[in-house]
Amino acid sequence: MSLSHPAAFGAYSGTGHANGETKPRQHVLDLDDFLPSEIASVLENTRAMKEVLKRDIKKVPTLRGRVVVTLFYEASTRTRISFEEAGKVLSADVINMGGSGSSVEKGESLLNTGLTLQAMGVDILVVRHPHAGAPNFLARHLPKVSIINAGDGLHAHPTQALLDLFTVQEKLGSLAGLKIVIVGDVLHSRVARSAMWGFAKMGAKVTLCGPGTLLPLDLLRPNGHLPEGHCLASVKVDTSLDRAIEGADVVMALRLQSERQDSGFLPSMREYIRRWQVTESRVASAKPNALVMHPGPMNEGIEISSGLAHGDSSVIEEQVANGVAVRMALLYQVSTVVSQASGRLSIEQ
Amino acid sequence: MTPVSATQTLARIPVRVLFCAATRPYAEYPIAKSGMHQVLMAEHQIMNPDDIRRALVRVAHEILEHNRGIEDLVIVGIQTRGVTLAHRLSRNIEEYEGNRVPVAELDISLYRDDLQHRSRPVIKPTSFPVDIRDKKVVLVDDVLYTGRTIRAAMDAMNDFGRPRQVQLAILLDRGHRELPIRADYIGKNIPTSLEEQVKVRLTEIDGVDEVSILRRED
């Protein structure tokens, strides 16, 4: 079964740069508008950033004088802290802003908050928002600011996807041809949506797995086709984890929120654990060197067994460590465009 | 600058460049950006493989002479062609002295003061296999021009330790410094105008050893 419709995840065309030219990037909203070559250069820069993080003096002057604001309307530990660390290692001035304790509590709209920050001369705005499309909305209305999506609703989480790509590439050498199984609450997962785009664009074969109620409906419909050669045509859907995991190179478990049982998506948590928990015995039928991943925060004993989460095949801690380097690479990637957009410099060598 | 028609432009290309177009991949075809117009450039070779080899032999000997051997010496190549040259110099020195001089690799993209002007280059690896604290460092790059790359390299190096002394070896000095920086070892001095471009090609990266000047044909 393949994806039924290109708009299955509300995505616009992934073939927008057919001529192979990469324009300078102002925003990072999702991976669907990234060329494979652009993803490859972000991953290469991530490796360089990782080297910076291993130095005695973890500081480079790249973003000196730039202001980065993290605007988080949702709770977050790793994404927010890693963006803050990434900005500070690159010498940017990082300001954290949350929904509570700011004018958002007084009812200020997203647009007005954005306009205020733009007027203050903010260069890069890192946004997390419970509503899908909030970063895209800001990108349309704030011409002088670079927007980086740190997770919006059920839509996208591109920085998490890129760090997953980097972790897999670093461990297994290459992404092309790998079998990636993403298992769990795919329906409510922005991580799965972005990771699917990223892995598919780099030539990996993605299988989405989980109970039928937690898979996007349009993925289950067999009729309808993607345009010829669309990268998502390689994405498969399977409701049986035991079948999907056979020969997998990577098994990524997604977080299952306990509210899902109350709202009727699952008959019982015990059934979910029995059929879809990623366990040692299940991973035994994957490839011998298969990686176990989780975007965090984990519910150990529900979507993943404790032994596996902290076992040898787990790269969950590496994922977190790579998160800082990936976000440094993205801040570097958008940093140049920022100064052009704000009209500070226009000379080209 | 007045715009030129396609036929006019074609008439100005020397036969050599037209021939290059047929033998080199399209991406390497010499084109200079000039406002909105793309102007074809003529390419003149100024160093052939033997010239480059001899220059590096001499520079290696000068380094040894000046430092009286290889004690406490570290060669630091600036990505990308500086790294290639650094390895060649280290091999040359090993031939004469019997011992290897350690080579470090340095990418200065994160230290540039003109990052805003440029498209984002992909960052190449930085690796310091040896401690440079209290060592004599020879920085190596292919072309010395404004001096800004060297300034960035010295900033970057300081993050890895404080060398006792920093010397600079370059294959080509084309003048037009914007900072008070000079080279200690120079492969070749080439007076250039600001309109010209210098292209260094090395076998390890470009498949051929040569240095040429790209000059606008009018």
Side-chain angles (χ1 to χ4, degrees), chain A residues 134-190:
Chain A
N136 304 54
F137 170 80
L138 286 172
R140 273 201 305 281
H141 289 95
L142 306 179
K144 292 180 187 163
V145 180
S146 272
I147 308 290
I148 298 183
N149 183 359
D152 60 331
L154 305 183
H155 170 225
H157 197 349
T159 63
Q160 176 72 40
L162 283 168
L163 77 86
D164 291 340
L165 291 176
F166 179 79
T167 308
V168 173
Q169 193 190 53
E170 195 182 39
K171 287 280 167 189
L172 301 181
S174 155
L175 295 164
L178 295 184
K179 182 177 178 187
I180 317 284
V181 177
I182 302 178
V183 54
D185 188 358
V186 179
L187 183 64
H188 298 97
S189 174
R190 55 192 174 209

Side-chain angles (χ1 to χ4, degrees), chain A residues 225-246:
Chain A
H225 297 285
L226 289 167
E228 190 72 32
H230 195 285
C231 68
L232 289 189
S234 64
V235 175
K236 293 197 180 85
V237 175
D238 200 330
T239 50
S240 159
L241 179 57
D242 289 319
R243 191 167 51 218
I245 208 167
E246 271 173 39

Side-chain angles (χ1 to χ4, degrees), chain A residues 24-25 41 44-45 48-49 51-52 55 57 59-62 66 332-333 336-337 339-340 345 347-348, chain B residues 33 107 109-111 115-127 133 145 155-156 158-160:
Chain A
R25 173 166 292 278
S41 58
E44 201 173 332
N45 286 342
M49 296 303 184
E51 180 272 318
V52 172
R55 294 182 190 173
I57 301 169
K59 194 88 167 172
V60 287
T62 319
R66 304 263 164 261
Y332 170 76
Q333 201 78 6
T336 323
V337 187
S339 44
Q340 284 167 357
L345 291 159
I347 315 151
E348 202 173 319
Chain B
K33 279 188 194 139
D107 184 286
S109 309
L110 298 173
Y111 292 84
L115 183 69
Q116 292 86 350
H117 305 230
R118 303 157 66 97
S119 60
R120 259 119 315 144
V122 172
I123 312 168
K124 305 271 172 25
T126 293
S127 75
R133 252 170 290 183
Y145 183 26
D155 267 3
N158 263 339
D159 285 354
F160 292 91

